[in-house]
Amino acid sequence: MNRQVKKVGIIGGGQLARMSILAGYPLGFDFGVIDPSENAPARHLAQLFIKASFDDIEAQKRLANWADVITYDIEKIETSWLVEAEQQGLQIFPSPQILAIIQDKLVQKQFFYKRGIPVPEIYTDSSEIKNFPVVAKARRGGYDGQGVWMVNSPEELKILPDIPIYFEEKVDIHKELGVMIARDYWGEIVIYPIVEMIFEHRRHILKFLKAPAQLDVNTLKQVREVSYEIARVLESPGIYGIELFFDTKGRILLNEVAPRPHNLGHYSIEACSTSQFENHIRAITGLPLGYPTLRKPAVMINLLCPPKGEGLLSFEGLEKALRLPEVHVHLYGKWQAKPFRKVGHVTVIRDSLEEAWDMALKVDKMIRITVKSEQWQDV
Ligand code: ADP
């Protein structure tokens, strides 16, 4: 066992860092975290907390001095120093070079396209567009559907914001699929079950996730092949969240890759033999990967703040949900409401996906999230 790695530094102290730390403790690791927020979900789980912006290079250096390996739980971080430091031998996983490619959605799509991965048709400039509608995307900084615009006609191009944008064909989506993949130091790859993602329609935020996705054998095979190819070309240890489109023509197309644990893999904590978080920690610390096998069908529900109101959060119905068998509640320690903010999730496990889905709908109604006070309270 490679015990040269004892301390793991994470840039970003959100719920992904929090759940990674929880998965890393049984393996004996210590953790350090950089986050600008005093109340970051991972703050009190880390032995070292550096309160700084994700772009603060001095903070990155401090973390690197303390840790044996560096990773991140967010894509929006400054990579210039990390790329240099990696070349000088600092262990950073997944590689900051991969992160830099992924940070620019156009460069990311071109990277995968050149390596034979199927992606939607891309237009780098509006003059190249052959047919409308198209989807305009901000090259950088988009998340949860922010920075994505449907463009139905040439006239609508004029109302797009003045930022670096590119265009994609508008895919006629049948299902949005997801899959977690992990690579270890030696290039061994594990592929998690293929899941189906169902989004909140008002804002494009994941609301429900079904594991496994209900697909015919051929489609499943196709998705697994594409996922394997993606893992192969990524060439750096770590866990990756992959979002795919399954369209009405039967095509499987890559939408995007996140080089970190992902909301689409939360179900794996209880539903798989090894969670995405444990395999993330194993991958970046030079340990062999665990099996990703689905133990039982599962549905994950994201707990989202109401569309309006910024104040202290209140949860109702949690006690009722907690009394149910195989209903696993996770709260991230975020008590300050912001519209549609992800503050927790619930995973429901049952013998069949239908039963899990029925119970998930009940649990989703059972847990009421409200904004108690309109005033900011630092908790
Ligand atoms: P974000 O990174 O903000 O989540 P995405 O690029 O994943 O943004 O796009 C958000 C959503 O917009 C997708 O989940 C999908 O529903 C829709 N979308 C994105 N690209 C396309 C496309 N080329 N064709 C059709 N719908 C798309």
Side-chain angles (χ1 to χ4, degrees):
M1 203 150 148
N2 175 355
R3 292 327 307 241
Q4 285 156 335
V5 177
K6 296 191 183 70
K7 295 176 188 164
V8 177
I10 309 179
I11 303 171
Q15 62 263 23
L16 300 177
R18 178 180 171 108
M19 291 185 272
S20 300
I21 295 174
L22 287 170
Y25 274 152
L27 291 167
F29 295 106
D30 285 346
F31 292 89
V33 158
I34 298 178
D35 200 281
S37 167
E38 204 63 62
N39 301 314
R43 189 213 190 302
H44 295 289
L45 279 85
Q47 281 73 31
L48 172 72
F49 177 68
I50 303 171
K51 186 175 181 299
S53 119
F54 307 125
D55 298 336
D56 185 332
I57 290 173
E58 288 313 308
Q60 293 182 354
K61 286 182 184 169
R62 238 184 98 197
L63 187 70
N65 271 335
W66 179 86
D68 304 310
V69 63
I70 296 284
T71 188
Y72 39 87
D73 90 332
I74 183 163
E75 275 127 282
K76 261 201 273 178
I77 60 177
E78 176 55 51
T79 56
S80 54
W81 179 75
L82 296 171
V83 169
E84 245 174 69
E86 183 189 41
Q87 274 155 9
Q88 283 157 24
L90 187 67
Q91 307 235 71
I92 310 163
F93 300 123
S95 163
Q97 292 189 48
I98 298 275
L99 174 61
I101 290 167
I102 284 175
Q103 281 176 336
D104 183 327
K105 278 189 179 174
L106 173 60
V107 174
Q108 180 189 156
K109 282 263 162 52
Q110 288 170 331
F111 172 88
F112 287 110
Y113 174 72
K114 282 188 199 137
R115 284 157 184 79
I117 309 291
V119 296
E121 198 166 342
I122 298 161
Y123 316 105
T124 49
D125 187 83
S126 60
S127 61
E128 294 171 13
I129 298 173
K130 291 182 206 120
N131 290 310
F132 284 87
V134 290
V135 180
K137 293 193 179 184
R139 289 179 58 170
R140 291 178 169 275
Y143 67 97
D144 289 338
Q146 310 279 9
V148 175
W149 303 273
M150 297 297 153
V151 182
N152 295 306
S153 65
E155 291 71 52
E156 287 182 20
L157 289 171
K158 294 178 199 133
I159 53 174
L160 291 173
D162 190 16
I163 52 171
I165 277 177
Y166 77 103
F167 304 88
E168 290 180 6
E169 67 166 296
K170 184 171 185 298
V171 177
D172 195 7
I173 300 170
H174 174 46
K175 284 182 175 177
E176 298 207 34
L177 305 176
V179 58
M180 298 304 305
I181 55 177
R183 272 184 75 113
D184 70 10
Y185 272 24
W186 303 275
E188 289 289 326
I189 291 167
V190 301
I191 300 179
Y192 277 80
I194 295 142
V195 298
E196 182 178 343
M197 302 187 287
I198 301 160
F199 292 88
E200 215 299 329
H201 62 276
R202 287 165 292 183
R203 285 273 287 275
H204 201 81
I205 297 180
L206 184 65
K207 179 60 200 169
F208 294 107
L209 176 139
K210 294 182 181 180
Q214 303 294 281
L215 299 169
D216 64 84
V217 186
N218 278 339
T219 310
L220 280 173
K221 193 164 160 267
Q222 213 183 325
V223 180
R224 282 187 67 83
E225 279 167 8
V226 171
S227 309
Y228 186 84
E229 272 312 293
I230 295 169
R232 209 179 55 76
V233 303
L234 282 167
E235 285 184 359
S236 183
I239 191 121
Y240 300 86
I242 310 219
E243 295 180 43
L244 301 154
F245 299 142
F246 175 33
D247 81 352
T248 50
K249 295 180 200 148
R251 294 183 301 172
I252 297 294
L253 303 168
L254 172 65
N255 179 28
E256 59 182 350
V257 173
R260 52 169 173 78
H262 193 288
N263 197 173
L264 77 85
H266 290 359
Y267 75 97
S268 65
I269 297 176
E270 290 90 7
C272 294
S273 304
T274 317
S275 78
Q276 63 160 346
F277 299 104
E278 181 173 342
N279 262 342
H280 172 47
I281 298 298
R282 289 190 190 208
I284 64 167
T285 57
L287 298 177
L289 298 174
Y291 279 86
T293 322
L294 188 71
R295 291 201 252 236
K296 273 191 180 184
V299 172
M300 188 221 57
I301 313 157
N302 261 347
L303 299 180
L304 305 174
C305 286
K308 277 192 194 150
E310 303 211 355
L312 193 62
L313 272 183
S314 149
F315 295 89
E316 283 160 40
L318 274 184
E319 290 78 3
K320 213 172 155 194
L322 284 164
R323 284 197 181 93
L324 296 167
E326 292 280 29
V327 171
H328 303 277
V329 178
H330 296 252
L331 299 180
Y332 304 148
K334 290 171 162 179
W335 307 112
Q336 177 64 32
K338 288 182 194 159
F340 293 107
R341 189 182 198 197
K342 292 174 190 167
V343 290
H345 75 267
V346 182
T347 301
V348 178
I349 298 191
R350 287 292 179 269
D351 289 329
S352 72
L353 190 61
E354 292 70 31
E355 287 170 83
W357 179 245
D358 287 347
M359 181 48 76
L361 293 178
K362 286 187 190 131
V363 170
D364 187 48
K365 286 210 178 73
M366 202 177 283
I367 300 178
R368 304 256 43 100
I369 304 174
T370 50
V371 185
K372 212 157 75 177
S373 104
E374 281 300 318
Q375 270 175 10
W376 170 272
Q377 272 179 275
D378 208 10
V379 283

